[in-house]
Amino acid sequence: MSTQQELEEIKQLARRAIACKRWRWMPGMLSEKGLRVVRRDYDGYVIGYYADRYYVSECVPGTLPDLSDPATLGCLLALVRKAWGPAASVSVNMSGFWAVGGATVLSGKSQGQSINLGIWKLTELEALVAALEVAP
């Protein structure tokens, strides 16, 4: 796969991630435009800075995260854990597939039970986005 194809797949996953009801910008995340999130205002605006310009700016709606950034990937895992419980984890099996497991049922008859989400993807990023998409 070419680098251009990989970048387009990451961008598509970013679009899917921001469409999730559990998506939110977190401090440390990087936008596709190079904006590093510093904090969220009381009204939900995301404030950050550009490393090469040193001034405060905001992420406007529709801004995509840079999901190739390690800090942003870690924040995505934090969002999955917030949605599915602190024991939710992502791991790779011997076949090379990534899975999200350890999720906790947060309500209903099975409340408190730990489950495997049944998500098997080729990359860690795909597995995390899929877990966020199906989050309650």
Side-chain angles (χ1 to χ4, degrees):
M1 184 181 316
S2 75
T3 303
Q4 185 61 31
Q5 285 176 314
E6 289 171 352
L7 292 175
E8 188 52 43
E9 283 185 17
I10 290 172
K11 203 174 220 182
Q12 189 62 17
L13 286 167
R15 286 186 193 100
R16 287 172 47 195
I18 66 169
C20 295
K21 66 181 176 183
R22 293 293 198 121
W23 169 260
R24 68 180 176 89
W25 286 95
M26 297 177 69
M29 286 182 161
L30 185 67
S31 79
E32 67 176 339
K33 303 289 187 197
L35 176 75
R36 182 72 65 187
V37 175
V38 175
R39 65 181 169 86
R40 289 173 55 111
D41 267 354
Y42 63 92
D43 57 1
Y45 284 98
V46 174
I47 307 299
Y49 67 91
Y50 290 101
D52 61 340
R53 296 190 194 130
Y54 303 107
Y55 66 88
V56 174
S57 185
E58 67 178 292
C59 279
V60 295
T63 300
L64 295 178
D66 179 355
L67 296 179
S68 67
D69 174 61
T72 306
L73 187 62
C75 290
L76 184 59
L77 174 59
L79 291 174
V80 169
R81 286 185 175 155
K82 185 169 177 105
W84 287 104
S89 62
V90 62
S91 60
V92 64
N93 68 16
M94 290 175 33
S95 300
F97 287 98
W98 288 85
V100 177
T104 303
V105 178
L106 301 176
S107 63
K109 210 173 182 181
S110 301
Q111 184 174 358
Q113 300 286 330
S114 181
I115 59 169
N116 184 319
L117 296 179
I119 294 170
W120 301 92
K121 300 293 180 182
L122 292 176
T123 68
E124 179 183 27
L125 178 55
E126 288 177 292
L128 289 170
V129 171
L132 198 59
E133 286 177 320
V134 298

